[in-house]
Amino acid sequence: MTGASSGFGRATARRLASQGRPVVAVARRMDRLKELCDEVPDGRVLPLEVDVRDQDAVAEAFALLPDDFADVEVVVNNAGLSRGFGPVQSAAVHQWREMVDTNVMGQLHCLQAVLPHLIASGSGHIVNIGSVAAVYPYTGGNVYAATKAFTHQLSLGLRTDLEGTGVRVTCIAPGMARTGFALVRFDGDQERADALYRDVDPLTAEDIAEAVSWCLAQPARVNVNMIEIMPTSQPFGLGFRSPTTAKG
Ligand code: NDP
Ligand code: 8X3
């Protein structure tokens, strides 16, 4: 489970551990991962401080998993972020690089580390977290949305590459959810993050944990390719209403 220190990842790790699954919880903030471990009894969560952008660190972490956690059956590729909200013509290159390195390369590093094991086992399930941003554009979404479109297409591509292996691939595309996501996007500006959700009753991290859990629970013959989940109050990309529209 990558990105297990917050939001979807944390809720999903909690959910899967409560079902008796051993969970390898990956993120950079060890203090948060330790909090997660404290919430889950019986040592079912193994906290691993790994930056998914670091290919060698990801490979090493997987290769050195202790016996109780080594038989990986499910990979939830969830670690990801957005930086900035400006139009592409005025964006900062370092923000693009961080999003691409995390959302695109990070996912690939995790896949590379774990796929040989899943294929050898003849089963397993990869769940990639995409986004409605990949499908419904909004101003300022540009590069972030494109990294998520990568995830959607990669998921379909994986399905073809893994034909006959027994390994399943699912992409879940959530809409607006109140997690740490907006705070990261706005570099810790809580007021801006809160403003994003003002007119929306957003999804919760638990809503997405429930979707992941449901996909995993399907019989082995069933592959859920894609689930798109938006808040009821979000019919558009990012739920934006222009001031004019909002007033009617
Ligand atoms: P959070 O900010 O709450 O969680 C993001 C998680 O990703 C954190 O655990 C963070 O851990 C981890 N992470 C980020 N960078 C790295 C890295 N380099 N290495 C390892 N872990 C990393 O946001 P969400 O839970 O909302 O986001 C989870 C996923 O869902 C993301 O891929 C996001 O794009 C996607 N998403 C979010 C939506 C939303 O509205 N919230 C909607 C649609 C998709 P740490 O900082 O400790 O490393
Ligand atoms: C995050 C959803 O709409 O805030 O992927 O970009 S959105």
Side-chain angles (χ1 to χ4, degrees):
M1 175 83 239
T2 69
S5 62
S6 175
F8 299 159
R10 184 167 176 156
T12 305
R14 242 188 342 243
R15 170 72 67 105
L16 299 183
S18 77
Q19 295 167 354
R21 292 178 187 266
V23 174
V24 179
V26 169
R28 294 164 300 177
R29 287 172 292 178
M30 195 54 167
D31 53 330
R32 301 282 191 109
L33 293 177
K34 284 189 175 147
E35 282 171 20
L36 169 66
C37 292
D38 291 343
E39 288 166 17
V40 178
D42 301 336
R44 280 195 295 268
V45 176
L46 176 72
L48 278 189
E49 186 179 335
V50 179
D51 186 329
V52 296
R53 293 172 295 180
D54 183 339
Q55 180 184 6
D56 293 339
V58 170
E60 188 184 356
F62 179 73
L64 298 178
L65 286 177
D67 286 351
D68 286 355
F69 293 88
D71 186 16
V72 174
E73 295 171 355
V74 174
V75 181
V76 184
N77 251 323
N78 164 76
L81 46 71
S82 174
R83 290 286 193 193
F85 209 45
V88 77
Q89 58 272 25
S90 60
V93 174
H94 72 273
Q95 293 185 325
W96 290 346
R97 189 162 290 121
E98 188 176 0
M99 290 188 279
V100 171
D101 286 350
T102 308
N103 303 358
V104 173
M105 294 311 298
Q107 283 205 338
L108 292 172
H109 295 153
C110 297
L111 285 172
Q112 184 189 43
V114 89
L115 268 178
H117 172 81
L118 294 184
I119 292 168
S121 76
S123 64
H125 202 145
I126 296 160
V127 180
N128 294 326
I129 303 300
S131 170
V132 301
V135 183
Y136 306 89
Y138 60 86
T139 306
N142 49 67
V143 172
Y144 170 71
T147 66
K148 290 297 169 177
F150 172 91
T151 297
H152 292 200
Q153 195 60 30
L154 176 70
S155 303
L156 292 172
L158 275 168
R159 284 274 292 137
T160 65
D161 288 352
L162 294 171
E163 182 188 10
T165 64
V167 180
R168 298 189 284 176
V169 185
T170 296
C171 182
I172 297 182
M176 297 179 75
R178 195 187 275 278
T179 59
F181 181 81
L183 203 58
V184 171
R185 175 170 232 166
F186 297 131
D187 213 11
D189 186 336
Q190 188 71 57
E191 214 172 301
R192 258 187 109 187
D194 288 346
L196 208 57
Y197 302 104
R198 200 163 287 143
D199 294 329
V200 182
D201 181 13
L203 301 173
T204 66
E206 285 69 26
D207 295 331
I208 302 309
E210 168 70 16
V212 174
S213 173
W214 180 80
C215 293
L216 299 180
Q218 299 312 301
R221 67 177 180 281
V222 175
N223 190 98
V224 181
N225 285 353
M226 161 66 82
I227 303 186
E228 193 180 275
I229 310 171
M230 275 175 155
T232 305
S233 52
Q234 183 197 1
F236 309 111
L238 210 52
F240 263 128
R241 293 182 192 92
S242 73
T244 330
T245 315
K247 283 177 195 145

